[in-house]
Amino acid sequence: MKIAQVAPLWEQVPPPNYGGIELVVSRLTDELVRRGHEVTLFASGDSQTLARLAAIYPRALRLDSDVKEYAVYEMLELSQAYQQAAEFDIIHSHVGIAALALASLVSTPSVHTLHGNFTKDNINVYSHHQKQAYVSISNAQRQINLNYVATVYNGIQLTDYPFIAQPKEPPYLAFLGRFSPEKGPHQAIAIAKQTGWRLKMAGKVDAADSKFFEQEIAPQIDGQQIEYLGEINHTAKAELLGNAAITLFPISWQEPFGLVMIESMATGTPVIAINLGSVPEVIVQGQTGFICQNYEEMAAMIPAALKLNRHTCREHVKNKFSVTQMVDGYEAVYKQIIKNRINLNGYIHAAKVRQ
Amino acid sequence: MKIAQVAPLWEQVPPPNYGGIELVVSRLTDELVRRGHEVTLFASGDSQTLARLAAIYPRALRLDSDVKEYAVYEMLELSQAYQQAAEFDIIHSHVGIAALALASLVSTPSVHTLHGNFTKDNINVYSHHQKQAYVSISNAQRQINLNYVATVYNGIQLTDYPFIAQPKEPPYLAFLGRFSPEKGPHQAIAIAKQTGWRLKMAGKVDAADSKFFEQEIAPQIDGQQIEYLGEINHTAKAELLGNAAITLFPISWQEPFGLVMIESMATGTPVIAINLGSVPEVIVQGQTGFICQNYEEMAAMIPAALKLNRHTCREHVKNKFSVTQMVDGYEAVYKQIIKNRINLNGYIHAAKVRQ
């Protein structure tokens, strides 16, 4: 198939440190190329890909302090992708609502992966375009009525996450994620203090969360029991998770997927999480971690989690959240959408599809 | 003709107080209806118009504190307008770059009035879509290479601006506009202080300019020589300008049009301005005001400006910046664009055009 992948421009594909969407797009794109598809990746010019790279800006916008209006470049990227729509059998967008109006004006079908959450504002646009084809990244994410064609879970490459059979001594709990209230870093600290466990934390602090970090997090960091490692790269991330006894996921929002849970399990480390959003779809209760109703329960499950089989955790990721699984899922989605188009109206594009 | 007008959603059409674009769209739309065109106005639901109103949101977004993501609603408005593109002979957009990608995907022609200035970021999108049809609101505005089909100056309705033959006693200078550095309110104060004139100022202070206002403007307001009237409605605006001896326009940026200059001249009050952007196209040097190279020259021209004929000022607006002139300009633009389309490729839309 001739496939366009449209990625956000904020980060490189793949991202050097953080950037869940860009990581997923990278793995998906390269594997599609390996499977023989003709893929064009719309992304920042410093991206690394096996596909044909179509870049409207030379580097990740995050790295360019000259850029004041982010949306402008996203618009330009979408313009280019949709002006070439006739060249593709399908356009796969990862940029959310910005693509919807354009997608509804061309005959090439689009599929939109929902990487984020619905907001009071953006549901108006999604609802208006509810007949577009959507992929949810968890079943829990389907909070409004849209034409969902599948749930395709995010997939990671196991070789990127070395398996660690034995947690490091002295043992510690890990927290990895944005330092925002909904991710619950303050709850992770409370659990550590209550149970006397050491806690190692890493992740970025967005400008919007700087007050929260200063007031709720910084005063608790003592460098002994509670450590903050700052923003760390992929290798350090895999080590932080893999060497941990348990990873905490004390969220207070409807998590759409939660990449850190599968990253942790891939290294062998079980996850204790709050039962919100995607969590029960990602963790196997009592096998790869524990799904809890509140923070007290999270603390109480630590001894049981220490006894879980770390090989089982990794196997679970291999079976359900690998790049292979993810690309199988998307390939099936593309074929189904194109087939439906052919059945419905025999678009001229149909003739171009090579499978 | 069947014409779509696409207005910003921030303000009602027409705006109760400020909103240059919404005012122009309102006058244009209503006059097109009076001339027999079938006009659909895409605007906020609290807009007042003779056209068919197509609203995707019940009120001006400015008035709705629930709205966090403005761009979402603009996108939805554009979706609706362009999904109905086949219903129109022409789509006239007043929302800038957001419409360009969509405009390039439908066969109905669009025309885009440039209401703002180019930025380092947005020129990338304009340049990519340079073959779209653009209307500049001054010749000076044409800073980059685009397919400009005409300059159509903004027009106002003279009945909205009562003529005042004699400035009020004691005489004063007027400043009306956003309190931002590029509009030069601090320079207006300096000119007043240097010459001993009274100065009455009005206009809004955007959040981005609150520091500038507090530091540079507020300390200078004494309620005697230097007065600040806050945000004022249309009637108060027309009185402020009409009762003034002279209006100051001490800008330091490339003004794309400068509605306040024609509003002032309409009431009979001449304008002393800095020679930037549209200024030499709007003021007739030595007839309706003075075009100066610097602030010293502005101060020096006050005595000469007092001798200018106030009837001449109003006549100039009547002849060059009336709603009639503006709508004549846009009608010619619409006809030309549609005619070019017919000549070029005989689009099916051509058959629908009724003139």
Side-chain angles (χ1 to χ4, degrees):
Chain A
M1 283 181 255
K2 291 186 176 180
I3 304 165
Q5 295 287 339
V6 184
L9 294 171
W10 187 248
E11 268 295 356
Q12 295 161 246
V13 173
N17 300 315
Y18 296 88
I21 304 174
E22 292 84 353
L23 184 63
V24 163
V25 173
S26 170
R27 297 297 176 250
L28 168 62
T29 300
D30 285 354
E31 179 60 18
L32 287 169
V33 174
R34 282 189 207 100
R35 293 185 184 189
H37 298 289
E38 211 173 299
V39 188
T40 302
L41 171 64
F42 292 85
S44 70
D46 49 2
S47 295
Q48 300 288 330
T49 178
L50 300 178
R52 186 175 78 85
L53 181 63
I56 56 96
Y57 203 74
R59 60 199 154 275
L61 297 182
R62 181 181 69 84
L63 302 174
D64 197 323
S65 57
D66 280 356
V67 169
K68 307 284 179 230
E69 304 163 66
Y70 170 75
V72 157
Y73 296 93
E74 190 175 74
M75 215 175 284
L76 193 51
E77 180 186 47
L78 286 163
S79 266
Q80 293 211 349
Y82 278 93
Q83 283 178 324
Q84 299 169 37
E87 308 291 319
F88 305 114
D89 298 313
I90 192 155
I91 298 173
H92 186 171
S93 165
H94 300 270
V95 301
I97 56 168
L100 297 175
L102 295 165
S104 71
L105 295 179
V106 298
S107 56
T108 301
S110 291
V111 59
H112 309 269
T113 293
L114 298 166
H115 287 284
N117 277 351
F118 297 113
T119 68
K120 203 196 135 293
D121 292 319
N122 76 22
I123 54 168
N124 294 293
V125 184
Y126 282 117
S127 297
H128 179 73
H129 292 285
Q130 62 179 351
K131 289 183 180 166
Q132 284 287 312
Y134 295 95
V135 167
S136 45
I137 56 173
S138 66
N139 296 324
Q141 194 189 23
R142 301 184 175 190
Q143 302 279 326
I144 63 170
N145 183 30
L146 299 176
N147 173 30
Y148 299 101
V149 292
T151 286
V152 178
Y153 294 124
N154 287 334
I156 54 176
Q157 213 155 279
L158 264 88
T159 49
D160 290 342
Y161 301 87
F163 178 69
I164 298 183
Q166 195 62 40
K168 206 172 179 178
E169 286 292 331
Y172 66 88
L173 308 174
F175 172 92
L176 182 71
R178 262 187 301 118
F179 278 74
S180 60
E182 69 266 25
K183 291 284 190 178
H186 53 310
Q187 303 294 357
I189 293 172
I191 290 167
K193 293 214 164 175
Q194 186 196 323
T195 56
W197 271 78
R198 295 174 68 214
L199 174 67
K200 294 195 187 192
M201 317 180 85
K204 65 175 173 178
V205 183
D206 286 344
D209 298 317
S210 62
K211 207 171 167 183
F212 166 74
F213 186 84
E214 276 165 42
Q215 290 181 349
E216 305 282 326
I217 307 296
Q220 315 268 13
I221 297 167
D222 57 17
Q224 301 273 330
Q225 190 190 356
I226 312 294
E227 281 180 73
Y228 173 55
L229 311 177
E231 288 195 38
I232 56 178
N233 65 21
H234 175 79
T235 310
K237 205 163 81 171
E239 282 174 10
L240 170 70
L241 295 171
N243 287 321
I246 295 161
T247 294
L248 299 179
F249 199 60
I251 52 169
S252 62
W253 75 328
Q254 298 293 336
E255 183 75 41
F257 181 75
L259 210 51
V260 71
M261 291 189 283
I262 65 170
E263 291 179 304
S264 174
M265 293 185 293
T267 67
T269 302
V271 180
I272 302 181
I274 290 288
N275 186 16
L276 279 171
S278 62
V279 165
E281 296 172 60
V282 176
I283 295 174
V284 184
Q285 172 77 344
Q287 296 276 322
T288 72
F290 289 97
I291 303 162
C292 303
Q293 302 310 315
N294 53 52
Y295 304 113
E296 292 67 39
E297 200 183 329
M298 284 184 70
M301 296 317 291
I302 293 177
L306 292 173
K307 294 180 194 147
L308 296 176
N309 185 323
R310 295 178 66 96
H311 287 283
T312 306
C313 294
R314 188 170 177 90
E315 278 301 304
H316 176 53
V317 175
K318 192 175 162 189
N319 294 334
K320 233 180 138 181
F321 304 110
S322 67
V323 170
T324 304
Q325 302 291 320
M326 174 173 72
V327 181
D328 287 351
Y330 280 119
E331 262 191 320
V333 163
Y334 302 158
K335 282 179 189 166
Q336 189 58 46
I337 290 172
I338 293 167
K339 198 177 138 202
N340 289 351
R341 283 277 168 136
I342 296 171
N343 291 347
L344 270 173
N345 47 24
Y347 266 119
I348 190 161
H349 285 286
K352 292 193 200 160
V353 180
R354 294 163 308 170
Q355 298 189 359
Chain B
M1 282 181 257
K2 291 187 176 179
I3 304 165
Q5 295 288 339
V6 185
L9 294 171
W10 187 247
E11 268 294 356
Q12 295 161 248
V13 173
N17 299 316
Y18 297 87
I21 302 174
E22 291 85 353
L23 184 63
V24 162
V25 172
S26 170
R27 297 296 176 252
L28 167 61
T29 299
D30 285 354
E31 179 61 17
L32 286 169
V33 174
R34 282 189 207 98
R35 293 184 185 189
H37 297 289
E38 211 172 300
V39 188
T40 301
L41 172 63
F42 292 85
S44 69
D46 49 3
S47 295
Q48 300 288 329
T49 179
L50 301 178
R52 184 175 80 86
L53 181 62
I56 55 97
Y57 203 75
R59 60 200 154 274
L61 298 183
R62 182 182 68 86
L63 301 174
D64 197 322
S65 57
D66 279 355
V67 170
K68 307 286 178 229
E69 305 163 65
Y70 170 76
V72 156
Y73 297 93
E74 191 175 73
M75 217 174 284
L76 193 51
E77 180 186 48
L78 286 163
S79 266
Q80 294 212 346
Y82 279 92
Q83 283 178 323
Q84 298 169 37
E87 307 292 317
F88 305 115
D89 298 313
I90 193 157
I91 298 173
H92 186 172
S93 165
H94 300 270
V95 301
I97 56 167
L100 297 174
L102 294 165
S104 72
L105 294 180
V106 298
S107 57
T108 301
S110 292
V111 59
H112 309 269
T113 293
L114 298 165
H115 287 285
N117 276 352
F118 297 113
T119 67
K120 201 194 136 295
D121 291 319
N122 75 23
I123 54 169
N124 293 292
V125 184
Y126 282 118
S127 296
H128 179 74
H129 293 284
Q130 62 179 351
K131 287 182 180 167
Q132 284 286 313
Y134 295 94
V135 167
S136 45
I137 56 172
S138 66
N139 296 324
Q141 195 189 23
R142 301 184 175 191
Q143 302 279 325
I144 62 169
N145 183 31
L146 298 176
N147 173 31
Y148 299 102
V149 292
T151 287
V152 179
Y153 294 122
N154 287 333
I156 54 177
Q157 213 155 279
L158 265 88
T159 49
D160 289 341
Y161 301 86
F163 178 69
I164 298 183
Q166 195 64 40
K168 205 170 180 178
E169 285 295 331
Y172 67 87
L173 308 174
F175 172 91
L176 182 71
R178 261 187 302 118
F179 278 73
S180 60
E182 69 266 24
K183 290 286 190 178
H186 54 310
Q187 303 294 357
I189 293 172
I191 290 167
K193 293 216 162 173
Q194 186 196 323
T195 56
W197 271 79
R198 295 174 68 214
L199 173 68
K200 294 195 187 190
M201 316 179 86
K204 65 175 173 179
V205 183
D206 287 342
D209 298 318
S210 62
K211 206 171 168 185
F212 166 74
F213 185 84
E214 275 165 42
Q215 291 182 347
E216 305 281 326
I217 306 296
Q220 314 267 13
I221 298 167
D222 58 17
Q224 300 275 328
Q225 191 190 355
I226 312 294
E227 282 181 73
Y228 172 56
L229 311 177
E231 287 197 38
I232 56 178
N233 64 20
H234 175 79
T235 310
K237 203 163 82 170
E239 282 174 9
L240 169 71
L241 295 170
N243 287 322
I246 296 161
T247 294
L248 299 179
F249 199 62
I251 52 170
S252 62
W253 75 328
Q254 299 293 336
E255 182 75 40
F257 182 76
L259 211 52
V260 70
M261 292 190 283
I262 65 170
E263 292 179 302
S264 174
M265 293 186 294
T267 68
T269 302
V271 181
I272 302 180
I274 290 288
N275 186 15
L276 278 172
S278 63
V279 166
E281 296 172 60
V282 176
I283 295 174
V284 185
Q285 171 77 345
Q287 297 274 323
T288 71
F290 289 97
I291 303 161
C292 303
Q293 301 311 313
N294 52 53
Y295 304 112
E296 293 67 41
E297 200 183 327
M298 284 185 70
M301 296 317 292
I302 293 177
L306 292 173
K307 294 180 194 147
L308 296 176
N309 185 321
R310 296 178 65 95
H311 288 281
T312 306
C313 293
R314 187 168 178 90
E315 278 301 305
H316 175 54
V317 176
K318 192 175 161 190
N319 294 333
K320 236 181 136 180
F321 304 109
S322 67
V323 170
T324 305
Q325 302 290 319
M326 175 173 71
V327 181
D328 287 351
Y330 280 118
E331 262 192 321
V333 163
Y334 302 156
K335 283 179 188 166
Q336 188 59 47
I337 290 172
I338 293 167
K339 198 177 137 202
N340 289 351
R341 283 276 168 136
I342 298 171
N343 290 348
L344 271 173
N345 46 23
Y347 266 119
I348 191 161
H349 285 286
K352 293 194 201 161
V353 180
R354 294 162 311 171
Q355 298 190 359

